[in-house]
Amino acid sequence: MGRIPCCEKDNVKRGQWTPEEDNKLSSYIAQHGTRNWRLIPKNAGLQRCGKSCRLRWTNYLRPDLKHGQFSDAEEQTIVKLHSVVGNRWSLIAAQLPGRTDNDVKNHWNTKLKKKLSGMGIDPVTHKPFSHLMAEIATTLAPPQVAHLAEAALGCFKDEMLHLLTKKRNIDDFQNQEPNAAPPYINSNSKQDEKDYTIEKIKLGLSRAIQEPDNMLQSTKPWDSTAANFAGACSAFPASMSGYHQYGPSSFANEGDRSPWSQSMCTGSTCTAGDQQVRLHEKLLEGENGEDSDEGGKEIRNGSSMFSTSDCVLWDLPSDDHLINPIV
DNA sequence: AAGACCCCCAACCGCTCCGGA
DNA sequence: TTCCGGAGCGGTTGGGGGTCT
């Protein structure tokens, strides 16, 4: 028993599309529309799978598509919506005219995830790493806490190392701790540099664990993210804990908050994760067609899900401003 | 100059969803 | 109500181009 293939693979061309194929597909669709993708390649004279044609059309050839870079506003929207609906790219893309789910997904995976990690925010839960550490620390017995930094390092080290070792600016590092030049400065060994970075991360995580209350009591969630994470993890040079390495604006810098950071800050970063779970549950209830006692309606009412009294997450657009209702 | 490495993004794969019979 | 086929979705891959060493 195998799955029925969507087309005969033997007679089907795969890989990059040629301009000629694009022309054939575009002109066929212009004449006949996009009904029945299975028949389209045959009728258009293309040796392609119908699915491949659909993808090519929806992700690339459609005349209403934008192909340029994502704007700040678009990025904000993606991050905000992702914090609420998770990896539901088609839902997110529906709020961004001219962008496809593939575009959004790619942009998230290649840019935004790193951007958030660089700001000390876990891109999955949208919580600050330091807060996650502190939360875990408060739930563990002391002997376990002792191993937390090590374990956490295992979880986050790829992102951290990527950010810290790859794009390091040694001058920044020296400015941060002028009296404690890292040992690798005088060494040619990349391994030394990496080990040093790892030790620094461990130290920072340990501090985060030792002071969970301070982290949790922060009244400004954002302050406990990039800035405090950098503070708790003294190993992090300011230039790395912020995200101006990626662009002109800086998150860690108090006096220089981009619209991005402002909108991120207005939401309850530190509680977004819990609320996200609740929203996910509500969403699922909505999808299953069951009105929950307290929320099903809001969920199906599109953007109002973002403004229910107990679920205010971000300064998301109101109903009127969302391009397409969610769900 | 050239090979290694990295990043981005188009395209593919396989699963789920949905609507019609 | 069930089944089936088409469409949609999200995860993953791989190739091409750029950068680094």
Side-chain angles (χ1 to χ4, degrees), chain A residues 56-164:
Chain A
R56 183 65 179 170
W57 174 255
T58 55
N59 288 338
Y60 196 80
L61 294 176
R62 255 169 49 201
D64 58 325
L65 290 181
K66 267 191 218 167
H67 290 291
Q69 287 199 323
F70 280 74
S71 66
D72 265 6
E74 285 176 315
E75 291 191 339
Q76 281 180 51
T77 304
I78 293 170
V79 173
K80 288 172 190 169
L81 291 177
H82 186 272
S83 74
V84 178
V85 302
N87 292 1
R88 297 179 65 179
W89 307 117
S90 55
L91 272 183
I92 297 172
Q95 304 304 321
L96 300 168
R99 302 296 188 183
T100 68
D101 53 347
N102 213 32
D103 278 340
V104 173
K105 181 173 59 184
N106 281 335
H107 192 65
W108 174 263
N109 285 328
T110 58
K111 302 272 178 61
L112 295 180
K113 255 166 84 172
K114 290 173 192 166
K115 216 178 231 186
L116 288 179
S117 294
M119 290 153 44
I121 293 178
D122 174 23
V124 177
T125 61
H126 291 258
K127 288 185 178 185
F129 287 139
S130 60
H131 186 95
L132 288 174
M133 292 298 96
E135 271 189 355
I136 295 167
T138 57
T139 64
L140 292 179
Q144 294 170 294
V145 172
H147 300 293
L148 179 61
E150 195 75 37
L153 179 59
C155 294
F156 302 133
K157 76 174 178 200
D158 287 347
E159 297 290 357
M160 291 300 180
L161 286 175
H162 176 83
L163 289 161
L164 289 170

Side-chain angles (χ1 to χ4, degrees), chain A residues 37 44 81 88 138 153 176 202 217 222 248-249 273 282 286 301 322:
Chain A
W37 285 107
L81 291 177
R88 297 179 65 179
T138 57
L153 179 59
Q176 182 80 6
K202 284 182 185 173
Q217 283 168 5
W222 189 256
S249 54
K282 288 184 177 183
N301 191 22
L322 274 180

